[in-house]
């Protein structure tokens, strides 16, 4: 086994870390307070070419999910709200266009999305279809001149109000559960489409989360993304990849918890000594270090399998489940290490907890990850 | 303009220096492009982008330096030369080796760092200029090229000195000369295919044994002792004089 990164991967990680440290970290607290979307940082990530990381060189990429995961980790370590904006755009937005899109759809939408000129959102979840995505109610039908007409609504869509185009799932044929669902390309300027920002999020406050509604949206004949009726297996495949990036976010938050807690423990003195000398505090730090290490290995292994073109459903679910729970556990412990100072936003650890919690919910809850793993075990 | 950039890989500036067997240990240390050299590199790339030409990075250093060269190529340099220096060489040796590598290719401008953040001797670049027989301008804060003439603003102990010179010449970068860019993914991918030529001093026909010898290396003693004095101002003054005389032995 070779655990060393290549020269290129090291350069990518170094670049991501320097960008995160110099450009992302300094404004993270203010953006969390104000909820201001990080337009400029998104533009710069695009300029660095990072949106193309997991895709082929033909698209300006590196065909390297592993360095993509590491870049998401680094960005998230500084600001998880930018991390989810990045991860959702690439793994949920760009990926279906890359994997299932026609040449024309790729040229029109994927190319500018990879350059960071536009964002793409992925609309799967609905008010009444969350974990049970097969219960999709949004529907589309062809009218007499072949155009698609889309009606319905979506909920919790990352980058929903910012995206120039959305990949939206809808029922196009009668069927049970996953059958008869297709994905459609919806330009954001389509009449009948509205996106409303969802306010009051617990964390990831400067990321854009929206509810969408489609009221007789008319889309040209060639708006199917991939094959008709294949929407369900397509989004399962999309989510498998997305879980790697959510896992990478978990690693980033857990690492940030460890960094903050270690620095604080070494500097805080009580009972005449550094609190890092108390075994009770040391054990918390040791647990965080263990979690970071194991979560990173699990996530990177799933990324590696994907790059090798091998099955990775089980590994992505394990990585996502472990890393998201590690992030939440580490954040709780990080607050404990900080005592009262951890309970206010002068220190970043309470934000880490609020941000980390979403990782146990989005792109399949922890319960759903366990179902996926159990299914892979043959249950 | 054809530009050569002298570049060295050094310890990250946050690194804690550890001595092991009389040598500086590199175990677990993060290596970076010497920050001053990175300013020089960025300046060269900007001159190339504005006026055309080529940027070749020249490094005399151990094999690990390849990573720094790959980064330079990813930032926009066209090619790199890596020379394996003799282990017992000094600044004289390095300057001879680097100058020979420079002479082997056409150039109008050589850029380097004002100093390296590890040894901080400020020796190599000026010696290379001497070996090449070209003018030298140190600690540049601004570089402009107008045809074959180069205008340099340099930091003269806080004042600005303006110098014009005809190419070829060698310029070293003061801190902040040109804020280095981050390598982009397309840059990193292109760098994979750019050439790094590896040479030995023998390939360059250089045999320049060191003229100086490092006799000893000691870690700086950074342990600080704080002693709080008490009493009236006069009492404290008396104590201070006694301590300076008897303990610190400085008066
Ligand atoms: C900030 C944010 C961003 C998001 N971004 C996107 C996006 O970009 N695109 C998108 O399509 N969606 C997005 N989502 C939606 C997200 O994927 C869903 O919230 C998630 O899948 C859970 O669905 P739900 O909220 O409807 O919960 P429910 O499915 O209603 O689940 C409620 C609870 O029941 C449990 N549960 C459900 N079914 C089972 C079962 N079979 N066995 C055991 N337990 C079960 C769940 O685990 C959970 O604990 C986002 C959500 C948030 C909060």
């Amino acid at each position: 086994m070779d655990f060393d990164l290549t020269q290129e991967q090291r350069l990518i990680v170094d670049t991501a870390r320097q960008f995160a440290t110099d450009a992302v970290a300094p404004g993270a607290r203010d953006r969390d307070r104000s909820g201001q979307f990080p337009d400029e940082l998104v533009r710069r990530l695009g300029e660095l070419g990072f949106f193309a990381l997991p895709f082929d060189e033909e698209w300006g990429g590196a065909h390297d999910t592993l360095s993509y995961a590491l870049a998401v980790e680094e960005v998230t370590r500084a600001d998880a709200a930018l991390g989810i904006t990045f991860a959702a755009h690439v793994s949920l937005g760009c990926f279906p266009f890359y994997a299932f899109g026609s040449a024309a759809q790729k040229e029109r939408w994927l190319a500018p999305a990879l350059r960071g000129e536009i964002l793409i959102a992925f609309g799967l979840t609905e008010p009444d279809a969350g974990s049970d995505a097969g219960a999709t109610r949004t529907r589309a039908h062809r009218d007499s001149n072949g155009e698609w007409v889309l009606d319905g609504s979506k909920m919790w869509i990352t980058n929903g109000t910012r995206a120039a185009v959305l990949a939206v799932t809808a029922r196009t044929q009668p069927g049970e559960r996953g059958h008869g669902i297709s994905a459609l390309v919806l330009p954001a300027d389509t009449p009948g489409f509205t996106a409303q920002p969802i306010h009051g999020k617990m964390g990831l406050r400067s990321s854009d989360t929206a509810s969408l509604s489609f009221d007789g949206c008319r889309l040209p004949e060639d708006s199917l993304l991939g094959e008709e009726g294949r929407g369900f297996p397509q989004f399962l495949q999309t989510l498998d990849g997305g879980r790697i990036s959510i896992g990478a976010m978990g690693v980033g938050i857990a690492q940030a918890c460890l960094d903050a807690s270690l620095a604080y423990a070494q500097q805080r003195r009580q009972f005449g000594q550094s609190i890092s000398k108390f075994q009770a505090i040391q054990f918390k730090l040791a647990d965080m270090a263990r979690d970071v290490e194991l979560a990173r290995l699990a996530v990177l292994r799933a990324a590696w399998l994907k790059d090798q073109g091998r099955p990775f459903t089980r590994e992505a679910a394990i990585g996502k489940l472990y890393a998201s729970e590690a992030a939440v556990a580490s954040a709780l412990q990080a607050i404990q290490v900080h005592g009262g100072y951890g309970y206010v936003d002068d220190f970043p650890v309470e934000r880490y907890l609020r941000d980390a919690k979403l990782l146990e919910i989005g792109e399949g809850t922890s319960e759903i990850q366990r179902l996926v793993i159990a299914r892979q075990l043959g249950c | 303009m054809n530009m050569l950039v002298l570049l060295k890989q050094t310890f990250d500036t946050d690194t804690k220096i550890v001595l092991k067997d009389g040598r500086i240990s590199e175990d677990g240390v993060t290596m970076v492009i010497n920050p001053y050299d990175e300013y020089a590199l960025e300046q060269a790339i900007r001159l190339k982008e504005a006026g055309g030409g080529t940027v070749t990075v020249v490094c005399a250093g151990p094999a690990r330096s390849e990573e720094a060269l790959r980064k330079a190529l990813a930032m926009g340099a066209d090619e790199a030369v890596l020379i394996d220096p003799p282990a017992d060489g000094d600044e004289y040796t390095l300057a001879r080796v680097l100058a020979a590598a420079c002479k082997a290719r056409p150039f109008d401008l050589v850029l380097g760092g004002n100093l390296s953040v590890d040894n901080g001797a400020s020796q190599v670049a000026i010696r290379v200029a001497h070996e090449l027989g070209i003018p030298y301008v140190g600690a540049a804060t601004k570089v402009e090229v107008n045809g074959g003439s180069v205008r340099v603003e340099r930091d003269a102990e806080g004042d600005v000195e303006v110098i014009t010179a005809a190419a070829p010449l060698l310029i070293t970068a003061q801190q902040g000369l040109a804020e280095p860019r981050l390598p982009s993914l397309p840059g990193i991918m292109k760098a994979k295919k750019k050439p790094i030529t590896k040479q030995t001093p023998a390939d360059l026909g250089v045999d320049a044994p060191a003229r100086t010898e490092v006799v000893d290396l000691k870690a700086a003693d950074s342990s600080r002792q704080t002693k709080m004095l008490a009493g009236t101002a006069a009492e404290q003054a008396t104590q201070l004089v006694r301590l300076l005389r008897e303990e610190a032995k400085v008066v």
Side-chain angles (χ1 to χ4, degrees), chain A residues 8-22 48 50 71 74-75, chain B residues 71 74-75 181-185 188:
Chain A
E8 287 73 36
Q9 288 170 332
R10 279 212 297 274
L11 268 177
I12 292 164
V13 179
D14 284 352
T15 302
R17 183 170 304 159
Q18 200 180 331
F19 174 71
T21 309
D22 296 350
L48 285 171
F50 277 13
E74 289 298 337
V75 169
Chain B
K71 180 174 181 190
M75 286 169 68
R181 71 195 60 197
L182 289 170
S184 68
L185 181 61
I188 292 169

PDB file of all heavy atoms in Angstrom, chain A residues 8-22 48 50 71 74-75, chain B residues 71 74-75 181-185 188:
ATOM      1  N   GLU A   8       1.893  16.059  -7.601  1.00  0.00           N
ATOM      2  CA  GLU A   8       0.765  16.914  -7.995  1.00  0.00           C
ATOM      3  C   GLU A   8      -0.243  17.013  -6.863  1.00  0.00           C
ATOM      4  O   GLU A   8      -0.763  18.091  -6.574  1.00  0.00           O
ATOM      5  CB  GLU A   8       0.068  16.365  -9.254  1.00  0.00           C
ATOM      6  CG  GLU A   8       0.845  16.549 -10.537  1.00  0.00           C
ATOM      7  CD  GLU A   8       2.036  15.611 -10.646  1.00  0.00           C
ATOM      8  OE1 GLU A   8       1.921  14.454 -10.176  1.00  0.00           O
ATOM      9  OE2 GLU A   8       3.086  16.029 -11.165  1.00  0.00           O
ATOM     10  N   GLN A   9      -0.525  15.873  -6.240  1.00  0.00           N
ATOM     11  CA  GLN A   9      -1.501  15.902  -5.142  1.00  0.00           C
ATOM     12  C   GLN A   9      -1.000  16.770  -3.995  1.00  0.00           C
ATOM     13  O   GLN A   9      -1.769  17.515  -3.393  1.00  0.00           O
ATOM     14  CB  GLN A   9      -1.774  14.471  -4.661  1.00  0.00           C
ATOM     15  CG  GLN A   9      -2.595  13.667  -5.668  1.00  0.00           C
ATOM     16  CD  GLN A   9      -2.663  12.194  -5.333  1.00  0.00           C
ATOM     17  OE1 GLN A   9      -1.765  11.636  -4.699  1.00  0.00           O
ATOM     18  NE2 GLN A   9      -3.729  11.544  -5.763  1.00  0.00           N
ATOM     19  N   ARG A  10       0.294  16.695  -3.731  1.00  0.00           N
ATOM     20  CA  ARG A  10       0.830  17.540  -2.651  1.00  0.00           C
ATOM     21  C   ARG A  10       0.706  19.020  -2.990  1.00  0.00           C
ATOM     22  O   ARG A  10       0.381  19.850  -2.140  1.00  0.00           O
ATOM     23  CB  ARG A  10       2.282  17.165  -2.357  1.00  0.00           C
ATOM     24  CG  ARG A  10       2.401  15.944  -1.462  1.00  0.00           C
ATOM     25  CD  ARG A  10       3.643  16.033  -0.582  1.00  0.00           C
ATOM     26  NE  ARG A  10       4.837  16.037  -1.388  1.00  0.00           N
ATOM     27  CZ  ARG A  10       5.454  14.932  -1.805  1.00  0.00           C
ATOM     28  NH1 ARG A  10       4.972  13.758  -1.479  1.00  0.00           N
ATOM     29  NH2 ARG A  10       6.539  15.004  -2.544  1.00  0.00           N
ATOM     30  N   LEU A  11       0.966  19.327  -4.259  1.00  0.00           N
ATOM     31  CA  LEU A  11       0.838  20.730  -4.680  1.00  0.00           C
ATOM     32  C   LEU A  11      -0.605  21.215  -4.556  1.00  0.00           C
ATOM     33  O   LEU A  11      -0.863  22.341  -4.131  1.00  0.00           O
ATOM     34  CB  LEU A  11       1.275  20.883  -6.143  1.00  0.00           C
ATOM     35  CG  LEU A  11       2.730  21.244  -6.390  1.00  0.00           C
ATOM     36  CD1 LEU A  11       3.013  21.273  -7.888  1.00  0.00           C
ATOM     37  CD2 LEU A  11       3.045  22.609  -5.781  1.00  0.00           C
ATOM     38  N   ILE A  12      -1.539  20.335  -4.919  1.00  0.00           N
ATOM     39  CA  ILE A  12      -2.960  20.699  -4.833  1.00  0.00           C
ATOM     40  C   ILE A  12      -3.347  20.938  -3.365  1.00  0.00           C
ATOM     41  O   ILE A  12      -3.984  21.938  -3.030  1.00  0.00           O
ATOM     42  CB  ILE A  12      -3.844  19.597  -5.466  1.00  0.00           C
ATOM     43  CG1 ILE A  12      -3.615  19.561  -6.988  1.00  0.00           C
ATOM     44  CG2 ILE A  12      -5.319  19.823  -5.149  1.00  0.00           C
ATOM     45  CD1 ILE A  12      -4.120  18.294  -7.662  1.00  0.00           C
ATOM     46  N   VAL A  13      -2.924  20.026  -2.494  1.00  0.00           N
ATOM     47  CA  VAL A  13      -3.269  20.168  -1.073  1.00  0.00           C
ATOM     48  C   VAL A  13      -2.623  21.425  -0.484  1.00  0.00           C
ATOM     49  O   VAL A  13      -3.260  22.172   0.259  1.00  0.00           O
ATOM     50  CB  VAL A  13      -2.836  18.920  -0.269  1.00  0.00           C
ATOM     51  CG1 VAL A  13      -3.177  19.095   1.200  1.00  0.00           C
ATOM     52  CG2 VAL A  13      -3.515  17.687  -0.818  1.00  0.00           C
ATOM     53  N   ASP A  14      -1.350  21.649  -0.836  1.00  0.00           N
ATOM     54  CA  ASP A  14      -0.667  22.851  -0.322  1.00  0.00           C
ATOM     55  C   ASP A  14      -1.384  24.113  -0.776  1.00  0.00           C
ATOM     56  O   ASP A  14      -1.552  25.063  -0.012  1.00  0.00           O
ATOM     57  CB  ASP A  14       0.779  22.918  -0.838  1.00  0.00           C
ATOM     58  CG  ASP A  14       1.675  21.946  -0.090  1.00  0.00           C
ATOM     59  OD1 ASP A  14       1.201  21.366   0.906  1.00  0.00           O
ATOM     60  OD2 ASP A  14       2.829  21.771  -0.520  1.00  0.00           O
ATOM     61  N   THR A  15      -1.790  24.127  -2.047  1.00  0.00           N
ATOM     62  CA  THR A  15      -2.495  25.284  -2.581  1.00  0.00           C
ATOM     63  C   THR A  15      -3.812  25.490  -1.840  1.00  0.00           C
ATOM     64  O   THR A  15      -4.141  26.605  -1.431  1.00  0.00           O
ATOM     65  CB  THR A  15      -2.760  25.102  -4.090  1.00  0.00           C
ATOM     66  OG1 THR A  15      -1.507  24.924  -4.750  1.00  0.00           O
ATOM     67  CG2 THR A  15      -3.468  26.305  -4.679  1.00  0.00           C
ATOM     68  N   ALA A  16      -4.543  24.377  -1.648  1.00  0.00           N
ATOM     69  CA  ALA A  16      -5.830  24.467  -0.953  1.00  0.00           C
ATOM     70  C   ALA A  16      -5.629  24.975   0.471  1.00  0.00           C
ATOM     71  O   ALA A  16      -6.383  25.825   0.957  1.00  0.00           O
ATOM     72  CB  ALA A  16      -6.509  23.095  -0.933  1.00  0.00           C
ATOM     73  N   ARG A  17      -4.586  24.476   1.127  1.00  0.00           N
ATOM     74  CA  ARG A  17      -4.351  24.880   2.517  1.00  0.00           C
ATOM     75  C   ARG A  17      -3.976  26.354   2.597  1.00  0.00           C
ATOM     76  O   ARG A  17      -4.468  27.093   3.455  1.00  0.00           O
ATOM     77  CB  ARG A  17      -3.244  24.027   3.129  1.00  0.00           C
ATOM     78  CG  ARG A  17      -2.998  24.332   4.594  1.00  0.00           C
ATOM     79  CD  ARG A  17      -2.093  23.314   5.217  1.00  0.00           C
ATOM     80  NE  ARG A  17      -2.650  21.965   5.042  1.00  0.00           N
ATOM     81  CZ  ARG A  17      -1.935  20.844   5.113  1.00  0.00           C
ATOM     82  NH1 ARG A  17      -0.649  20.908   5.340  1.00  0.00           N
ATOM     83  NH2 ARG A  17      -2.512  19.677   4.958  1.00  0.00           N
ATOM     84  N   GLN A  18      -3.140  26.785   1.666  1.00  0.00           N
ATOM     85  CA  GLN A  18      -2.727  28.186   1.699  1.00  0.00           C
ATOM     86  C   GLN A  18      -3.910  29.108   1.399  1.00  0.00           C
ATOM     87  O   GLN A  18      -4.107  30.130   2.058  1.00  0.00           O
ATOM     88  CB  GLN A  18      -1.595  28.426   0.698  1.00  0.00           C
ATOM     89  CG  GLN A  18      -0.813  29.685   1.036  1.00  0.00           C
ATOM     90  CD  GLN A  18       0.313  29.931   0.044  1.00  0.00           C
ATOM     91  OE1 GLN A  18       0.862  28.996  -0.535  1.00  0.00           O
ATOM     92  NE2 GLN A  18       0.645  31.198  -0.154  1.00  0.00           N
ATOM     93  N   PHE A  19      -4.717  28.709   0.412  1.00  0.00           N
ATOM     94  CA  PHE A  19      -5.915  29.483   0.085  1.00  0.00           C
ATOM     95  C   PHE A  19      -6.848  29.536   1.299  1.00  0.00           C
ATOM     96  O   PHE A  19      -7.350  30.602   1.680  1.00  0.00           O
ATOM     97  CB  PHE A  19      -6.619  28.845  -1.114  1.00  0.00           C
ATOM     98  CG  PHE A  19      -7.939  29.471  -1.457  1.00  0.00           C
ATOM     99  CD1 PHE A  19      -8.002  30.737  -2.017  1.00  0.00           C
ATOM    100  CD2 PHE A  19      -9.130  28.794  -1.204  1.00  0.00           C
ATOM    101  CE1 PHE A  19      -9.227  31.323  -2.327  1.00  0.00           C
ATOM    102  CE2 PHE A  19     -10.354  29.366  -1.506  1.00  0.00           C
ATOM    103  CZ  PHE A  19     -10.399  30.633  -2.066  1.00  0.00           C
ATOM    104  N   ALA A  20      -7.043  28.383   1.936  1.00  0.00           N
ATOM    105  CA  ALA A  20      -7.948  28.323   3.085  1.00  0.00           C
ATOM    106  C   ALA A  20      -7.435  29.189   4.239  1.00  0.00           C
ATOM    107  O   ALA A  20      -8.205  29.904   4.883  1.00  0.00           O
ATOM    108  CB  ALA A  20      -8.116  26.872   3.542  1.00  0.00           C
ATOM    109  N   THR A  21      -6.146  29.125   4.473  1.00  0.00           N
ATOM    110  CA  THR A  21      -5.580  29.868   5.594  1.00  0.00           C
ATOM    111  C   THR A  21      -5.595  31.373   5.337  1.00  0.00           C
ATOM    112  O   THR A  21      -5.987  32.156   6.197  1.00  0.00           O
ATOM    113  CB  THR A  21      -4.117  29.413   5.834  1.00  0.00           C
ATOM    114  OG1 THR A  21      -4.106  27.997   5.920  1.00  0.00           O
ATOM    115  CG2 THR A  21      -3.546  30.006   7.106  1.00  0.00           C
ATOM    116  N   ASP A  22      -5.181  31.751   4.125  1.00  0.00           N
ATOM    117  CA  ASP A  22      -5.029  33.183   3.832  1.00  0.00           C
ATOM    118  C   ASP A  22      -6.349  33.859   3.478  1.00  0.00           C
ATOM    119  O   ASP A  22      -6.594  34.993   3.870  1.00  0.00           O
ATOM    120  CB  ASP A  22      -4.055  33.393   2.652  1.00  0.00           C
ATOM    121  CG  ASP A  22      -2.655  32.908   2.992  1.00  0.00           C
ATOM    122  OD1 ASP A  22      -2.413  32.596   4.169  1.00  0.00           O
ATOM    123  OD2 ASP A  22      -1.823  32.828   2.069  1.00  0.00           O
ATOM    124  N   LEU A  48      -8.901  28.850  -9.448  1.00  0.00           N
ATOM    125  CA  LEU A  48      -7.815  27.905  -9.136  1.00  0.00           C
ATOM    126  C   LEU A  48      -8.006  26.571  -9.862  1.00  0.00           C
ATOM    127  O   LEU A  48      -7.120  25.731  -9.857  1.00  0.00           O
ATOM    128  CB  LEU A  48      -7.738  27.658  -7.626  1.00  0.00           C
ATOM    129  CG  LEU A  48      -7.127  28.769  -6.781  1.00  0.00           C
ATOM    130  CD1 LEU A  48      -7.330  28.482  -5.298  1.00  0.00           C
ATOM    131  CD2 LEU A  48      -5.636  28.921  -7.084  1.00  0.00           C
ATOM    132  N   PHE A  50     -10.250  24.305  -9.056  1.00  0.00           N
ATOM    133  CA  PHE A  50     -10.569  23.233  -8.115  1.00  0.00           C
ATOM    134  C   PHE A  50     -11.892  22.524  -8.399  1.00  0.00           C
ATOM    135  O   PHE A  50     -12.083  21.398  -7.963  1.00  0.00           O
ATOM    136  CB  PHE A  50     -10.578  23.775  -6.678  1.00  0.00           C
ATOM    137  CG  PHE A  50      -9.200  23.842  -6.081  1.00  0.00           C
ATOM    138  CD1 PHE A  50      -8.075  23.692  -6.878  1.00  0.00           C
ATOM    139  CD2 PHE A  50      -9.023  24.037  -4.729  1.00  0.00           C
ATOM    140  CE1 PHE A  50      -6.797  23.739  -6.335  1.00  0.00           C
ATOM    141  CE2 PHE A  50      -7.757  24.080  -4.171  1.00  0.00           C
ATOM    142  CZ  PHE A  50      -6.650  23.935  -4.974  1.00  0.00           C
ATOM    143  N   ALA A  71      -8.932  18.691  -0.910  1.00  0.00           N
ATOM    144  CA  ALA A  71      -9.199  20.128  -1.080  1.00  0.00           C
ATOM    145  C   ALA A  71     -10.473  20.526  -0.329  1.00  0.00           C
ATOM    146  O   ALA A  71     -10.514  21.565   0.341  1.00  0.00           O
ATOM    147  CB  ALA A  71      -9.321  20.472  -2.567  1.00  0.00           C
ATOM    148  N   GLU A  74      -9.624  20.754   3.325  1.00  0.00           N
ATOM    149  CA  GLU A  74      -8.884  21.964   3.690  1.00  0.00           C
ATOM    150  C   GLU A  74      -9.796  23.191   3.745  1.00  0.00           C
ATOM    151  O   GLU A  74      -9.706  24.013   4.658  1.00  0.00           O
ATOM    152  CB  GLU A  74      -7.737  22.220   2.703  1.00  0.00           C
ATOM    153  CG  GLU A  74      -6.585  21.232   2.810  1.00  0.00           C
ATOM    154  CD  GLU A  74      -5.877  21.251   4.160  1.00  0.00           C
ATOM    155  OE1 GLU A  74      -5.940  22.268   4.872  1.00  0.00           O
ATOM    156  OE2 GLU A  74      -5.269  20.227   4.510  1.00  0.00           O
ATOM    157  N   VAL A  75     -10.658  23.313   2.742  1.00  0.00           N
ATOM    158  CA  VAL A  75     -11.566  24.461   2.702  1.00  0.00           C
ATOM    159  C   VAL A  75     -12.522  24.410   3.889  1.00  0.00           C
ATOM    160  O   VAL A  75     -12.759  25.413   4.571  1.00  0.00           O
ATOM    161  CB  VAL A  75     -12.337  24.493   1.358  1.00  0.00           C
ATOM    162  CG1 VAL A  75     -13.477  25.499   1.409  1.00  0.00           C
ATOM    163  CG2 VAL A  75     -11.385  24.821   0.210  1.00  0.00           C
TER     164      VAL A  75
ATOM    165  N   LYS B  71       6.580  23.086  -8.240  1.00  0.00           N
ATOM    166  CA  LYS B  71       5.680  24.186  -7.898  1.00  0.00           C
ATOM    167  C   LYS B  71       5.990  25.405  -8.769  1.00  0.00           C
ATOM    168  O   LYS B  71       5.077  26.067  -9.271  1.00  0.00           O
ATOM    169  CB  LYS B  71       5.799  24.557  -6.415  1.00  0.00           C
ATOM    170  CG  LYS B  71       4.862  25.700  -6.045  1.00  0.00           C
ATOM    171  CD  LYS B  71       4.845  26.015  -4.565  1.00  0.00           C
ATOM    172  CE  LYS B  71       3.861  27.148  -4.275  1.00  0.00           C
ATOM    173  NZ  LYS B  71       3.965  27.649  -2.904  1.00  0.00           N
ATOM    174  N   ALA B  74       4.507  24.872 -11.986  1.00  0.00           N
ATOM    175  CA  ALA B  74       3.045  25.000 -11.900  1.00  0.00           C
ATOM    176  C   ALA B  74       2.628  26.464 -11.839  1.00  0.00           C
ATOM    177  O   ALA B  74       1.568  26.848 -12.324  1.00  0.00           O
ATOM    178  CB  ALA B  74       2.534  24.246 -10.673  1.00  0.00           C
ATOM    179  N   MET B  75       3.467  27.303 -11.247  1.00  0.00           N
ATOM    180  CA  MET B  75       3.145  28.736 -11.184  1.00  0.00           C
ATOM    181  C   MET B  75       3.320  29.406 -12.540  1.00  0.00           C
ATOM    182  O   MET B  75       2.722  30.454 -12.794  1.00  0.00           O
ATOM    183  CB  MET B  75       4.036  29.428 -10.145  1.00  0.00           C
ATOM    184  CG  MET B  75       3.640  29.129  -8.697  1.00  0.00           C
ATOM    185  SD  MET B  75       4.889  29.685  -7.512  1.00  0.00           S
ATOM    186  CE  MET B  75       4.758  31.475  -7.675  1.00  0.00           C
ATOM    187  N   ARG B 181       1.636  34.079  -6.753  1.00  0.00           N
ATOM    188  CA  ARG B 181       0.324  33.495  -7.017  1.00  0.00           C
ATOM    189  C   ARG B 181       0.287  32.081  -6.456  1.00  0.00           C
ATOM    190  O   ARG B 181       1.328  31.476  -6.210  1.00  0.00           O
ATOM    191  CB  ARG B 181       0.089  33.450  -8.521  1.00  0.00           C
ATOM    192  CG  ARG B 181       0.952  32.408  -9.226  1.00  0.00           C
ATOM    193  CD  ARG B 181       1.005  32.604 -10.715  1.00  0.00           C
ATOM    194  NE  ARG B 181       1.558  33.911 -11.078  1.00  0.00           N
ATOM    195  CZ  ARG B 181       1.406  34.454 -12.278  1.00  0.00           C
ATOM    196  NH1 ARG B 181       0.730  33.819 -13.224  1.00  0.00           N
ATOM    197  NH2 ARG B 181       1.931  35.627 -12.541  1.00  0.00           N
ATOM    198  N   LEU B 182      -0.923  31.543  -6.279  1.00  0.00           N
ATOM    199  CA  LEU B 182      -1.070  30.129  -5.972  1.00  0.00           C
ATOM    200  C   LEU B 182      -1.089  29.388  -7.302  1.00  0.00           C
ATOM    201  O   LEU B 182      -1.697  29.865  -8.258  1.00  0.00           O
ATOM    202  CB  LEU B 182      -2.387  29.884  -5.235  1.00  0.00           C
ATOM    203  CG  LEU B 182      -2.461  30.389  -3.798  1.00  0.00           C
ATOM    204  CD1 LEU B 182      -3.886  30.292  -3.274  1.00  0.00           C
ATOM    205  CD2 LEU B 182      -1.538  29.568  -2.910  1.00  0.00           C
ATOM    206  N   PRO B 183      -0.455  28.234  -7.378  1.00  0.00           N
ATOM    207  CA  PRO B 183      -0.531  27.480  -8.636  1.00  0.00           C
ATOM    208  C   PRO B 183      -1.962  26.993  -8.849  1.00  0.00           C
ATOM    209  O   PRO B 183      -2.595  26.511  -7.914  1.00  0.00           O
ATOM    210  CB  PRO B 183       0.420  26.300  -8.413  1.00  0.00           C
ATOM    211  CG  PRO B 183       0.648  26.208  -6.961  1.00  0.00           C
ATOM    212  CD  PRO B 183       0.343  27.533  -6.349  1.00  0.00           C
ATOM    213  N   SER B 184      -2.491  27.146 -10.051  1.00  0.00           N
ATOM    214  CA  SER B 184      -3.850  26.670 -10.332  1.00  0.00           C
ATOM    215  C   SER B 184      -3.772  25.212 -10.783  1.00  0.00           C
ATOM    216  O   SER B 184      -2.697  24.722 -11.145  1.00  0.00           O
ATOM    217  CB  SER B 184      -4.485  27.506 -11.436  1.00  0.00           C
ATOM    218  OG  SER B 184      -3.813  27.250 -12.649  1.00  0.00           O
ATOM    219  N   LEU B 185      -4.934  24.539 -10.773  1.00  0.00           N
ATOM    220  CA  LEU B 185      -4.947  23.137 -11.206  1.00  0.00           C
ATOM    221  C   LEU B 185      -4.442  22.990 -12.643  1.00  0.00           C
ATOM    222  O   LEU B 185      -3.604  22.124 -12.897  1.00  0.00           O
ATOM    223  CB  LEU B 185      -6.343  22.534 -11.035  1.00  0.00           C
ATOM    224  CG  LEU B 185      -6.448  21.073 -11.443  1.00  0.00           C
ATOM    225  CD1 LEU B 185      -5.543  20.178 -10.607  1.00  0.00           C
ATOM    226  CD2 LEU B 185      -7.889  20.590 -11.337  1.00  0.00           C
ATOM    227  N   ILE B 188      -0.768  23.150 -12.473  1.00  0.00           N
ATOM    228  CA  ILE B 188      -0.181  21.943 -11.877  1.00  0.00           C
ATOM    229  C   ILE B 188      -0.161  20.807 -12.900  1.00  0.00           C
ATOM    230  O   ILE B 188       0.817  20.069 -13.018  1.00  0.00           O
ATOM    231  CB  ILE B 188      -0.970  21.538 -10.603  1.00  0.00           C
ATOM    232  CG1 ILE B 188      -0.750  22.579  -9.486  1.00  0.00           C
ATOM    233  CG2 ILE B 188      -0.554  20.151 -10.120  1.00  0.00           C
ATOM    234  CD1 ILE B 188      -1.676  22.443  -8.282  1.00  0.00           C
TER     235      ILE B 188
END
